[in-house]
Amino acid sequence: MAGRLSFHAFTELGWTDGEGGAWRDPSLVPPRTVPELEFWAGLARTAERGCLDSFFFADAMGMGGFTPTDREREVRDGRLILWDPAVAIPALAAATEHIGFLFTSSILQEHPFTFARKASTLDHFTNGRVGWNIVTSYSPNVARNFGMADLPPREERYRWAEEYVDVAYRLWEGSWEEDAVVADARSGVYVDPGKVHPIDYAGERYRVQGPHLTYATPQRTPLLVQAGGSPAGRAFAARHAEMQFITAPDPETAAKDIAAVRRLAARAGRSPDDICFTISTGFVVGSTEAEARRKAEELDSHADFAGKVAAVSTSIGVDLTGLEPDAPVAELLAGARSSGGMSGVLKSLIGSLPADRPPTLRDLIRPRGDRHGGVGTPEQIADQLERWQAAGVGGVAVGMDVRPGSLTDFVDHVVPLLQQRGLAQREYAPGTLRQRVMGYGDRLPDRHPAAGYRRPAASGGR
């Protein structure tokens, strides 16, 4: 990533944003007036026109919120509408040529054998353009949708994630040798049986004999992404992630957090440079700063304050609903901090407040003008991104308040300036998504834990 940032168009595969309300903006394409596939393919092509590295889908497998009122609001605001991004990727890949696709999948929602086959299918059908955002879920409703009485504690979910990825690594990296497919019509051998291996895995949660059901894909293992900000999440990212999403109120805090994860990665036997740290922010672009802030205020006027409170409550695992906007929340947040719950989110929300002023609920519901320097002229946005890059940030997830307008504004007005400054690519280099984003080969480096399952003929990486 030397010399540039990676950029990822960030959204959910649904008709509204995660907080609710933005769909009321008059510039939004009205729902159900454009065929869904045509709409999403158009967004992907816009991102590709800007040479963004990937189209990244956040996702959820259940409702958030703590109360029936929260859940009713989530339905009413359209936040419950979420299609399956993994199903959509082949169609979007067929509508584009170069851009990659990152999709979110929780360890709770699918058996690792089935998931590994799905991911390999996507990697084959996109010619190496996919990545997996590994999540452990944080909504109790998700757990209950899959037969559990409640969501397991965070530390238990990360132990579960360790086993989950271990099974997937064995299937992706160790089951098929590189040259297993011989397709020799004369001998009648399509696949050499001696080069396809069961994994014979037996662990705490899973028993998987194998073998994997497809030959080696362009990347074997999809690009690995993770977003946990708790101590357990950071440790997991240090061992496994190639991209980690971080949340920090400013570049200085980000630099400290990045340094901490890099130290953990080195202790795990990886290079500190094996992780691309990525911030997530939306951009509101204007020809002047005043114009950009007016646009941001207009967007905020459409947002539902109660919906935003419910979204923040679910994110940090603390019920803030029912509080008055100026109610103090320090004691409620103390519990989230002590458990490590979404510590990065909390720092981002209240990190810039004066130390002697207790935070209020209103402080947690930040207006768009406060976030990561994402509101302003193209020059101001580029200046701020340079400061984030200097802190060690290697990637940016470009949020979309209004679709397609937010993405179009970023591609048309900000990307050209970023390209002039060398912060964004002007064209796509050959190779897989991993090669483009990480700068090494199509496969994971040999020092990644998944590489330990490779057969000798399948070794590679950096």
Side-chain angles (χ1 to χ4, degrees):
M1 291 310 305
R4 77 168 181 98
L5 295 163
S6 65
F7 289 92
H8 312 270
F10 180 72
T11 189
E12 293 177 323
L13 195 65
W15 272 117
T16 186
D17 65 329
E19 298 171 350
W23 60 269
R24 293 193 286 267
D25 188 277
S27 67
L28 182 69
V29 174
R32 305 189 68 82
T33 61
V34 176
E36 278 80 3
L37 180 56
E38 179 182 332
F39 175 82
W40 291 101
L43 274 180
R45 285 191 289 263
T46 297
E48 186 168 75
R49 177 165 59 82
C51 291
L52 274 63
D53 291 89
S54 81
F55 209 98
F56 175 41
F57 291 109
D59 197 22
M61 294 301 294
M63 302 180 72
F66 284 83
T67 68
T69 300
D70 295 338
R71 292 189 283 273
E72 180 182 335
R73 183 180 293 109
E74 190 169 348
V75 174
R76 187 180 65 238
D77 288 344
R79 285 177 282 144
L80 191 63
I81 301 173
L82 285 174
W83 294 290
D84 187 338
V87 174
I89 285 173
L92 300 180
T96 55
E97 293 183 54
H98 306 289
I99 194 166
F101 297 93
L102 301 176
F103 69 102
T104 299
S105 185
S106 171
I107 61 167
L108 276 64
Q109 75 186 67
E110 194 166 5
H111 191 283
F113 183 85
T114 306
F115 174 78
R117 185 176 72 148
K118 176 189 291 185
S120 292
T121 302
L122 292 172
D123 205 48
H124 274 306
F125 281 33
T126 62
N127 197 28
R129 289 196 271 159
V130 296
W132 172 29
N133 180 34
I134 310 165
V135 299
T136 62
S137 296
Y138 56 79
S139 167
N141 180 242
V142 175
R144 292 165 190 156
N145 285 341
F146 292 96
M148 288 173 271
D150 206 348
L151 192 68
R154 179 181 296 103
E155 289 72 18
E156 182 180 339
R157 298 200 305 274
Y158 275 107
R159 287 195 299 273
W160 185 345
E162 289 284 351
E163 183 174 0
Y164 195 99
V165 298
D166 190 42
V167 174
Y169 293 162
R170 292 167 188 258
L171 293 165
W172 288 327
E173 298 286 342
S175 189
W176 286 65
E177 296 183 26
E178 290 282 356
D179 54 352
V181 177
V182 295
D184 186 347
R186 179 174 298 179
S187 66
V189 175
Y190 191 82
V191 177
D192 183 346
K195 296 187 177 183
V196 179
H197 310 277
I199 66 170
D200 292 324
Y201 178 84
E204 180 182 354
R205 291 182 179 271
Y206 301 111
R207 303 288 189 274
V208 181
Q209 183 180 40
H212 195 36
L213 296 181
T214 181
Y215 55 89
T217 75
Q219 297 183 118
R220 277 197 176 262
T221 296
L223 183 71
L224 299 170
V225 184
Q226 202 266 344
S230 68
R234 288 185 176 191
F236 184 88
R239 289 189 293 271
H240 301 284
E242 297 173 274
M243 285 178 56
Q244 188 195 19
F245 285 94
I246 61 171
T247 308
D250 49 59
E252 293 73 25
T253 304
K256 296 176 183 177
D257 292 344
I258 289 169
V261 176
R262 282 178 169 160
R263 288 193 293 270
L264 292 173
R267 291 173 195 164
R270 301 178 67 197
S271 167
D273 297 325
D274 281 351
I275 304 174
C276 176
F277 296 93
T278 301
I279 60 167
S280 176
T281 186
F283 295 94
V284 182
V285 188
S287 57
T288 65
E289 181 179 357
E291 179 189 346
R293 292 197 172 271
R294 282 196 300 271
K295 290 171 66 175
E297 291 171 1
E298 176 68 18
L299 285 169
D300 282 327
S301 72
H302 300 299
D304 175 27
F305 185 84
K308 296 178 76 171
V309 172
V312 170
S313 296
T314 304
S315 296
I316 66 176
V318 176
D319 186 4
L320 303 172
T321 59
L323 298 178
E324 293 298 320
D326 293 314
V329 293
E331 290 187 9
L332 291 171
L333 297 182
R337 285 197 190 92
S338 63
S339 66
M342 299 299 286
S343 57
V345 172
L346 291 174
K347 283 190 295 185
S348 180
L349 292 171
I350 64 175
S352 60
L353 294 179
D356 59 349
R357 184 168 76 75
T360 67
L361 179 62
R362 195 186 303 277
D363 291 323
L364 301 186
I365 312 302
R366 288 294 184 86
R368 286 168 172 84
D370 287 351
R371 61 186 185 192
H372 290 176
V375 178
T377 66
E379 291 79 10
Q380 289 173 320
I381 292 171
D383 289 346
Q384 186 65 10
L385 288 177
E386 285 185 334
R387 288 190 281 274
W388 285 101
Q389 186 187 48
V393 167
V396 180
V398 181
M400 288 177 256
D401 296 306
V402 178
R403 297 169 302 198
S406 298
L407 182 61
T408 302
D409 282 351
F410 183 77
V411 166
D412 288 345
H413 302 297
V414 181
V415 166
L417 180 60
L418 296 174
Q419 291 171 334
Q420 290 175 19
R421 297 192 185 188
L423 292 173
Q425 63 185 357
R426 294 179 178 271
E427 60 184 3
Y428 290 98
T432 62
L433 179 61
R434 171 173 288 114
Q435 186 170 353
R436 294 169 182 168
V437 171
M438 300 306 301
Y440 41 71
D442 296 330
R443 308 294 170 81
L444 285 164
D446 291 338
R447 56 185 167 267
H448 191 279
Y453 297 117
R454 289 174 180 157
R455 307 285 167 171
S459 63
R462 185 169 55 178

